[in-house]
Amino acid sequence: MALRTLSTFPSLPRRFTRPDPTLTVIHRNPSTSIVCKSIANSEPTVSLSERDGFAAAAPTPGERFLENQRAHQAQKVVKKELKREKKKKKEESIREVVDTSLSCCYGCGAPLQTSDVDSPGFVDLVTYDLKKKHHQLRTVICGRCQLLSHGHMITAVGGNGGYAGGKQFVSADELREKLSHLRHEKALIVKLVDIVDFNGSFLARVRDLVGANPIILVITKIDLLPKGTDMNCIGDWVVEVTTKKKLNVLSVHLTSSKSLDGVSGVASEIQKEKKGRDVYILGAANVGKSAFINALLKTMAERDPVAAAAQKYKPIQSAVPGTTLGPIQINAFLGGEKLYDTPGVHLHHRQAAVVHSDDLPALAPQNRLRGQSFDISTQSSNSTEGESLNGYTFFWGGLVRIDILKALPETRFTFYGPKALEIHAVPTKTATEFYQKEVGVLLTPPSGKDQMQEWKGLQSHRLLRIEFNDPKRPASDVAISGLGWISIEPIRRSKDSEPRDLEEAEHEIRVCVSVPKPVEVFIRPTLPIGTSGAEWYQYRDLTDKEEEVRPKWYF
């Protein structure tokens, strides 16, 4: 017998009419009635007792299973939506901290302001109001950038890793904090390293800043290497050192922003690997990020009209460390992804952090490096057989002192660094007196009375013991963070004679290096530069597994 609903009855007693639409009255018998509260806004359902023959059929096990499944799926959707909203709020809060608003100088990334003439980002009020009215604040360059573009040395970074003297508007830690959001972003990182200061500018802990984002390693300023340098040797050397530092990179590129060598390879790699992600140019202060971006835009402009348009408002180039004071957004790709120039990471262990701002230009080499070599023949024209550089001291400007404690008669020391820093050799027994008398005069930097008042001297001393096996090859490099390096040859090369056989005790060189605190000193494998580098450099035999995971290098 088919079930019938209440609507099929011709009429109901008057007492069962519902003045309140949210109440349902069910008739069981003349003496009892049940009133139920409806929980839905839709037409209320009527539940009848089985005894009267009007109850709905009980749900089957299959229906209960489907209902449970639907409830479970709905719960998962709600949890997923809540998780997405939480992540979105977190990203928005991060962006608020590092937001590069439209009101920033396109040359240095400093927020535009009209109140302080001497501070970065200053623009006169008339210009600011006019540009704002026409929505052209992105085309404004601040007064500091205009001075920098004309060769003025205006520092702005202070604190740990900043620069003494000059004006300090922001600390190195504050600039580093502006990069902290990178580990939360999905981005492609292009990390720059200066070949002249490879160890000092490498940023070994770069993963703390960028997280698990992929990295393209770019070596800059290769045009400063001596003539005749074999780039095959340099590329292999860089990959070997990078692998030992356990930094996983997609590829390695040797570049020159000046001659544009290798830049097209970086552009191709970026287009291949960005995959919808924004691209961030990252590196230590003064490694040439802004110059590299300008070279990159120039190279990309040949095929990409967006990059060509971006060249009109490109970051300012300057020899002053800390030129860029905030992330600079550049529209450089047809796909809509952004290219960012970032503030340099200011490191307290480089020479630039301990010298006065007026002496900073002396630390930057402008032309090809030409090594200055010293052996016993250069110090004594009347040197006798068996005499060596033991007991001599070298001063590299007023920034480095090297005491020779043990060396062979044929040992040669070759200095590679800026020409502005002269090298002086004196007997060790008179070295301290010589330094106290000539620092700031003959031994510069530091230079000038103001710099000398703040100069604390060479307080850090490091004893280096350098062992070698093959006298035909250089033993090692001693790299000074932020300055250059010294190549040590146990036996100087000669076309006329072969190196002599050495006794076991002669396979060691000892020196003491003194530098200002907290400048770091590194011992590393010798960089194979010049025409002789290709003659002695040895390529390591790789296993199949090493060959597979080892990053490729390009030039």
Side-chain angles (χ1 to χ4, degrees), residues 2 5 43 66 74 99 147 175 263 301 382 384 418 428 431 501 553 555:
T5 63
E43 184 68 20
L66 290 175
D99 182 31
L147 293 175
L175 288 184
V263 178
N382 299 322
T384 59
T428 302
D501 295 331
W553 68 270
F555 173 61

Side-chain angles (χ1 to χ4, degrees), residues 229-240:
T229 298
D230 188 340
M231 292 302 160
N232 293 305
C233 299
I234 299 295
D236 187 79
W237 183 91
V238 170
V239 172
E240 280 290 309

Side-chain angles (χ1 to χ4, degrees), residues 375-385 387 389 392:
D375 53 41
I376 190 59
S377 63
T378 62
Q379 303 308 309
S380 176
S381 58
N382 299 322
S383 60
T384 59
E385 185 176 353
E387 188 177 358
L389 287 174
Y392 276 90

Side-chain angles (χ1 to χ4, degrees), residues 56 76 80 84 93 113-114 125-126 150 173 202 229 244 267 271-272 314 330 351 375 383 390-391 397 435 442 529 536:
K76 287 176 63 177
K80 189 174 181 180
R84 186 183 293 114
S93 64
Q113 50 89 15
T114 59
L125 185 58
V126 175
H150 288 85
D173 291 336
F202 189 80
T229 298
K244 289 179 181 178
Q271 294 288 359
K272 173 185 173 184
K314 55 191 178 183
I330 304 170
Q351 289 282 7
D375 53 41
S383 60
N390 294 345
Y435 183 80
L442 189 62
I529 56 175
W536 58 258

